Short mmCIF file of all heavy atoms in Angstrom, two decimals:
data_model
loop_
_atom_site.label_atom_id
_atom_site.label_comp_id
_atom_site.label_asym_id
_atom_site.label_seq_id
_atom_site.Cartn_x
_atom_site.Cartn_y
_atom_site.Cartn_z
N TYR A 27 0.89 -1.21 -0.03
CA TYR A 27 0.03 -0.07 -0.01
C TYR A 27 0.88 1.26 0.03
O TYR A 27 1.97 1.32 0.59
CB TYR A 27 -0.88 0.01 1.18
CG TYR A 27 -1.67 -1.30 1.49
CD1 TYR A 27 -1.23 -2.23 2.42
CD2 TYR A 27 -2.75 -1.58 0.52
CE1 TYR A 27 -1.99 -3.40 2.51
CE2 TYR A 27 -3.46 -2.73 0.66
CZ TYR A 27 -3.02 -3.76 1.60
OH TYR A 27 -3.66 -4.88 1.77
N VAL A 28 0.34 2.26 -0.62
CA VAL A 28 1.07 3.61 -0.67
C VAL A 28 -0.02 4.60 -0.20
O VAL A 28 -1.13 4.64 -0.62
CB VAL A 28 1.51 3.91 -2.09
CG1 VAL A 28 1.96 5.43 -2.09
CG2 VAL A 28 2.67 2.99 -2.47
N ILE A 29 0.46 5.40 0.81
CA ILE A 29 -0.49 6.46 1.33
C ILE A 29 0.14 7.81 0.76
O ILE A 29 1.35 8.13 0.89
CB ILE A 29 -0.59 6.51 2.85
CG1 ILE A 29 -1.57 7.53 3.27
CG2 ILE A 29 0.75 6.55 3.52
CD1 ILE A 29 -2.12 7.36 4.75
N VAL A 30 -0.70 8.66 0.10
CA VAL A 30 -0.37 9.96 -0.43
C VAL A 30 -0.92 11.03 0.42
O VAL A 30 -2.14 11.03 0.71
CB VAL A 30 -0.85 10.00 -1.88
CG1 VAL A 30 -0.44 11.43 -2.51
CG2 VAL A 30 -0.19 8.99 -2.78
N LEU A 31 -0.02 11.96 0.87
CA LEU A 31 -0.47 12.98 1.84
C LEU A 31 -0.04 14.37 1.28
O LEU A 31 0.86 14.47 0.54
CB LEU A 31 0.31 12.77 3.16
CG LEU A 31 0.21 11.43 3.72
CD1 LEU A 31 1.21 11.30 4.92
CD2 LEU A 31 -1.30 11.20 4.39
N GLY A 32 -0.80 15.42 1.78
CA GLY A 32 -0.44 16.84 1.51
C GLY A 32 0.47 17.22 2.72
O GLY A 32 0.40 16.67 3.81
N GLY A 33 1.22 18.25 2.48
CA GLY A 33 2.10 18.71 3.56
C GLY A 33 1.70 19.97 4.18
O GLY A 33 2.44 20.68 4.88
N ASP A 34 0.44 20.39 4.01
CA ASP A 34 -0.03 21.74 4.48
C ASP A 34 -1.34 21.84 5.13
O ASP A 34 -2.06 22.84 4.98
CB ASP A 34 -0.01 22.70 3.25
CG ASP A 34 -0.79 22.13 2.08
OD1 ASP A 34 -1.40 21.13 2.20
OD2 ASP A 34 -0.73 22.75 0.99
N HIS A 35 -1.74 20.64 5.70
CA HIS A 35 -3.00 20.66 6.47
C HIS A 35 -2.72 20.43 7.97
O HIS A 35 -1.72 19.75 8.30
CB HIS A 35 -3.92 19.55 5.94
CG HIS A 35 -4.39 19.77 4.52
ND1 HIS A 35 -4.46 18.71 3.62
CD2 HIS A 35 -4.73 20.88 3.80
CE1 HIS A 35 -4.81 19.23 2.40
NE2 HIS A 35 -4.96 20.43 2.56
N ILE A 36 -3.61 20.91 8.81
CA ILE A 36 -3.44 20.83 10.23
C ILE A 36 -4.62 19.86 10.85
O ILE A 36 -5.69 20.12 10.64
CB ILE A 36 -3.51 22.14 10.96
CG1 ILE A 36 -2.42 23.10 10.49
CG2 ILE A 36 -3.51 22.04 12.44
CD1 ILE A 36 -2.61 24.52 10.79
N TYR A 37 -4.13 18.62 11.21
CA TYR A 37 -5.01 17.68 11.75
C TYR A 37 -4.15 16.53 12.40
O TYR A 37 -2.94 16.51 12.19
CB TYR A 37 -5.84 17.12 10.60
CG TYR A 37 -4.98 16.34 9.54
CD1 TYR A 37 -4.96 14.96 9.50
CD2 TYR A 37 -4.12 17.00 8.71
CE1 TYR A 37 -4.25 14.25 8.60
CE2 TYR A 37 -3.36 16.32 7.79
CZ TYR A 37 -3.34 14.93 7.77
OH TYR A 37 -2.58 14.19 6.87
N LYS A 38 -4.86 15.85 13.16
CA LYS A 38 -4.27 14.63 13.80
C LYS A 38 -5.02 13.39 13.39
O LYS A 38 -6.28 13.29 13.55
CB LYS A 38 -4.37 14.67 15.42
CG LYS A 38 -3.39 15.88 15.89
CD LYS A 38 -3.68 16.19 17.33
CE LYS A 38 -3.20 15.23 18.30
NZ LYS A 38 -3.27 15.66 19.71
N MET A 39 -4.34 12.42 12.74
CA MET A 39 -5.10 11.31 12.25
C MET A 39 -4.26 10.00 12.24
O MET A 39 -3.03 10.09 11.94
CB MET A 39 -5.40 11.58 10.75
CG MET A 39 -6.17 10.50 9.96
SD MET A 39 -6.54 11.08 8.32
CE MET A 39 -7.40 9.73 7.69
N ASP A 40 -4.86 8.88 12.57
CA ASP A 40 -4.21 7.59 12.63
C ASP A 40 -4.37 6.98 11.32
O ASP A 40 -5.45 6.44 10.90
CB ASP A 40 -4.82 6.75 13.71
CG ASP A 40 -4.07 5.46 13.86
OD1 ASP A 40 -3.24 5.09 13.04
OD2 ASP A 40 -4.26 4.79 14.92
N TYR A 41 -3.38 7.13 10.41
CA TYR A 41 -3.30 6.52 9.13
C TYR A 41 -3.43 5.09 9.09
O TYR A 41 -3.98 4.49 8.13
CB TYR A 41 -2.12 6.91 8.32
CG TYR A 41 -1.82 8.33 8.18
CD1 TYR A 41 -0.52 8.95 8.33
CD2 TYR A 41 -2.84 9.27 7.89
CE1 TYR A 41 -0.35 10.30 8.14
CE2 TYR A 41 -2.59 10.59 7.70
CZ TYR A 41 -1.33 11.08 7.92
OH TYR A 41 -1.06 12.46 7.83
N SER A 42 -2.97 4.35 10.18
CA SER A 42 -3.12 2.88 10.20
C SER A 42 -4.56 2.39 10.19
O SER A 42 -4.94 1.43 9.54
CB SER A 42 -2.36 2.37 11.41
OG SER A 42 -3.10 2.68 12.54
N LYS A 43 -5.46 3.19 10.79
CA LYS A 43 -6.94 2.91 10.74
C LYS A 43 -7.51 3.03 9.38
O LYS A 43 -8.37 2.30 8.94
CB LYS A 43 -7.69 3.73 11.73
CG LYS A 43 -7.39 3.44 13.25
CD LYS A 43 -8.19 4.30 14.21
CE LYS A 43 -7.85 3.95 15.63
NZ LYS A 43 -8.69 4.82 16.56
N MET A 44 -6.98 4.00 8.64
CA MET A 44 -7.49 4.19 7.27
C MET A 44 -6.96 3.06 6.38
O MET A 44 -7.71 2.56 5.51
CB MET A 44 -6.92 5.56 6.73
CG MET A 44 -7.48 5.92 5.41
SD MET A 44 -6.99 7.53 4.93
CE MET A 44 -7.46 7.57 3.18
N VAL A 45 -5.75 2.59 6.67
CA VAL A 45 -5.19 1.41 5.83
C VAL A 45 -6.01 0.18 6.17
O VAL A 45 -6.36 -0.59 5.28
CB VAL A 45 -3.69 1.23 6.12
CG1 VAL A 45 -3.19 -0.02 5.52
CG2 VAL A 45 -2.90 2.44 5.66
N ASP A 46 -6.41 0.01 7.49
CA ASP A 46 -7.20 -1.13 7.82
C ASP A 46 -8.58 -1.07 7.15
O ASP A 46 -9.05 -2.23 6.74
CB ASP A 46 -7.38 -1.20 9.35
CG ASP A 46 -6.10 -1.53 10.12
OD1 ASP A 46 -5.16 -2.01 9.42
OD2 ASP A 46 -6.03 -1.27 11.35
N PHE A 47 -9.17 0.07 7.06
CA PHE A 47 -10.46 0.23 6.40
C PHE A 47 -10.30 -0.10 4.87
O PHE A 47 -11.15 -0.74 4.38
CB PHE A 47 -10.90 1.77 6.50
CG PHE A 47 -12.05 2.14 5.84
CD1 PHE A 47 -13.34 2.01 6.45
CD2 PHE A 47 -12.10 2.61 4.49
CE1 PHE A 47 -14.55 2.42 5.80
CE2 PHE A 47 -13.22 2.95 3.85
CZ PHE A 47 -14.47 2.95 4.54
N HIS A 48 -9.27 0.35 4.33
CA HIS A 48 -8.84 0.05 2.93
C HIS A 48 -8.88 -1.47 2.67
O HIS A 48 -9.48 -1.99 1.74
CB HIS A 48 -7.57 0.75 2.53
CG HIS A 48 -7.12 0.42 1.18
ND1 HIS A 48 -7.43 1.18 0.05
CD2 HIS A 48 -6.24 -0.56 0.64
CE1 HIS A 48 -6.97 0.80 -1.03
NE2 HIS A 48 -6.13 -0.26 -0.72
N ILE A 49 -8.12 -2.16 3.55
CA ILE A 49 -8.06 -3.65 3.44
C ILE A 49 -9.37 -4.28 3.70
O ILE A 49 -9.68 -5.20 2.92
CB ILE A 49 -6.93 -4.18 4.44
CG1 ILE A 49 -5.52 -3.57 4.12
CG2 ILE A 49 -6.90 -5.65 4.51
CD1 ILE A 49 -4.56 -3.80 5.17
N ALA A 50 -10.06 -3.90 4.64
CA ALA A 50 -11.44 -4.56 5.02
C ALA A 50 -12.40 -4.43 3.88
O ALA A 50 -13.16 -5.34 3.71
CB ALA A 50 -11.95 -3.85 6.29
N ASN A 51 -12.31 -3.36 3.10
CA ASN A 51 -13.18 -3.19 1.96
C ASN A 51 -12.67 -3.72 0.60
O ASN A 51 -13.33 -3.48 -0.44
CB ASN A 51 -13.52 -1.69 1.84
CG ASN A 51 -14.57 -1.14 2.93
OD1 ASN A 51 -15.71 -1.53 2.84
ND2 ASN A 51 -14.00 -0.44 3.87
N ASP A 52 -11.49 -4.33 0.69
CA ASP A 52 -10.78 -4.83 -0.49
C ASP A 52 -10.78 -3.68 -1.56
O ASP A 52 -11.04 -3.90 -2.72
CB ASP A 52 -11.55 -6.00 -1.07
CG ASP A 52 -10.81 -6.72 -2.15
OD1 ASP A 52 -9.65 -6.62 -2.13
OD2 ASP A 52 -11.46 -7.38 -3.03
N ALA A 53 -10.44 -2.51 -1.09
CA ALA A 53 -10.45 -1.26 -1.97
C ALA A 53 -9.22 -1.22 -2.85
O ALA A 53 -8.10 -1.73 -2.53
CB ALA A 53 -10.60 -0.08 -1.04
N ASP A 54 -9.38 -0.58 -3.99
CA ASP A 54 -8.17 -0.24 -4.83
C ASP A 54 -7.68 1.17 -4.43
O ASP A 54 -6.42 1.47 -4.62
CB ASP A 54 -8.64 -0.19 -6.23
CG ASP A 54 -9.00 -1.60 -6.78
OD1 ASP A 54 -8.35 -2.56 -6.49
OD2 ASP A 54 -10.15 -1.62 -7.27
N CYS A 55 -8.52 1.93 -3.98
CA CYS A 55 -8.17 3.38 -3.43
C CYS A 55 -9.10 3.72 -2.42
O CYS A 55 -10.36 3.58 -2.52
CB CYS A 55 -8.20 4.36 -4.65
SG CYS A 55 -8.04 6.10 -4.14
N THR A 56 -8.62 4.39 -1.31
CA THR A 56 -9.43 4.95 -0.27
C THR A 56 -9.14 6.35 -0.09
O THR A 56 -7.94 6.70 -0.03
CB THR A 56 -9.26 4.17 1.10
OG1 THR A 56 -9.57 2.78 0.91
CG2 THR A 56 -10.07 4.72 2.19
N ILE A 57 -10.16 7.20 -0.05
CA ILE A 57 -9.98 8.65 -0.03
C ILE A 57 -10.49 9.13 1.29
O ILE A 57 -11.70 8.90 1.68
CB ILE A 57 -10.74 9.35 -1.14
CG1 ILE A 57 -10.19 8.83 -2.48
CG2 ILE A 57 -10.55 10.84 -1.09
CD1 ILE A 57 -11.30 8.47 -3.48
N SER A 58 -9.69 9.92 2.15
CA SER A 58 -10.20 10.43 3.31
C SER A 58 -11.10 11.69 3.08
O SER A 58 -10.68 12.50 2.24
CB SER A 58 -9.02 10.80 4.24
OG SER A 58 -9.48 11.19 5.40
N VAL A 59 -12.24 11.68 3.61
CA VAL A 59 -13.24 12.76 3.44
C VAL A 59 -13.64 13.34 4.75
O VAL A 59 -13.56 12.67 5.78
CB VAL A 59 -14.42 12.32 2.64
CG1 VAL A 59 -14.08 11.87 1.25
CG2 VAL A 59 -15.22 11.27 3.39
N ILE A 60 -14.10 14.58 4.72
CA ILE A 60 -14.62 15.30 5.87
C ILE A 60 -15.94 15.89 5.46
O ILE A 60 -16.05 16.52 4.47
CB ILE A 60 -13.67 16.20 6.52
CG1 ILE A 60 -14.09 16.75 7.89
CG2 ILE A 60 -13.32 17.35 5.59
CD1 ILE A 60 -12.97 17.45 8.70
N ASP A 61 -16.94 15.82 6.42
CA ASP A 61 -18.22 16.47 6.08
C ASP A 61 -18.07 17.98 6.33
O ASP A 61 -17.70 18.37 7.40
CB ASP A 61 -19.28 15.83 7.10
CG ASP A 61 -20.71 16.11 6.56
OD1 ASP A 61 -20.87 16.64 5.44
OD2 ASP A 61 -21.59 15.74 7.31
N VAL A 62 -18.39 18.83 5.34
CA VAL A 62 -18.29 20.25 5.41
C VAL A 62 -19.63 20.81 5.24
O VAL A 62 -20.52 20.23 4.72
CB VAL A 62 -17.28 20.73 4.33
CG1 VAL A 62 -15.96 20.26 4.41
CG2 VAL A 62 -17.84 20.41 2.83
N PRO A 63 -19.80 22.08 5.80
CA PRO A 63 -21.03 22.73 5.54
C PRO A 63 -21.44 22.89 4.08
O PRO A 63 -20.47 23.14 3.26
CB PRO A 63 -20.92 24.09 6.21
CG PRO A 63 -19.74 23.92 7.21
CD PRO A 63 -18.92 22.83 6.52
N ARG A 64 -22.72 22.71 3.70
CA ARG A 64 -23.02 22.83 2.21
C ARG A 64 -22.63 24.09 1.64
O ARG A 64 -22.20 24.10 0.42
CB ARG A 64 -24.52 22.57 2.13
CG ARG A 64 -25.04 22.40 0.69
CD ARG A 64 -26.45 21.87 0.61
NE ARG A 64 -26.50 20.39 1.03
CZ ARG A 64 -26.24 19.40 0.21
NH1 ARG A 64 -25.76 19.57 -1.01
NH2 ARG A 64 -26.41 18.17 0.60
N ALA A 65 -22.66 25.22 2.40
CA ALA A 65 -22.31 26.49 1.85
C ALA A 65 -20.81 26.50 1.44
O ALA A 65 -20.47 27.30 0.52
CB ALA A 65 -22.55 27.56 2.84
N GLU A 66 -19.89 25.61 2.01
CA GLU A 66 -18.56 25.67 1.69
C GLU A 66 -18.15 24.48 0.68
O GLU A 66 -17.04 24.52 0.24
CB GLU A 66 -17.74 25.49 2.99
CG GLU A 66 -17.82 26.63 3.96
CD GLU A 66 -16.94 26.46 5.18
OE1 GLU A 66 -16.02 25.66 5.01
OE2 GLU A 66 -17.24 27.01 6.21
#
């Protein structure tokens, strides 16, 4: 697996949980998303 990251965001995240989610879903690609206000 390869995880691709940006170098300019402020957040704390356990990437290993995202990799586990990727494996559990037999995914080819997993994209981290965040729920934003509809106006934005």
Side-chain angles (χ1 to χ4, degrees):
Y27 309 104
V28 170
I29 183 164
V30 179
L31 308 167
D34 52 7
H35 296 139
I36 297 165
Y37 64 107
K38 293 163 76 170
M39 180 178 181
D40 189 343
Y41 301 139
S42 67
K43 290 183 179 178
M44 186 174 171
V45 173
D46 290 344
F47 176 89
H48 178 88
I49 295 167
N51 285 288
D52 191 26
D54 298 308
C55 171
T56 299
I57 302 134
S58 185
V59 297
I60 189 165
D61 199 5
V62 297
R64 189 165 289 277
E66 294 181 23

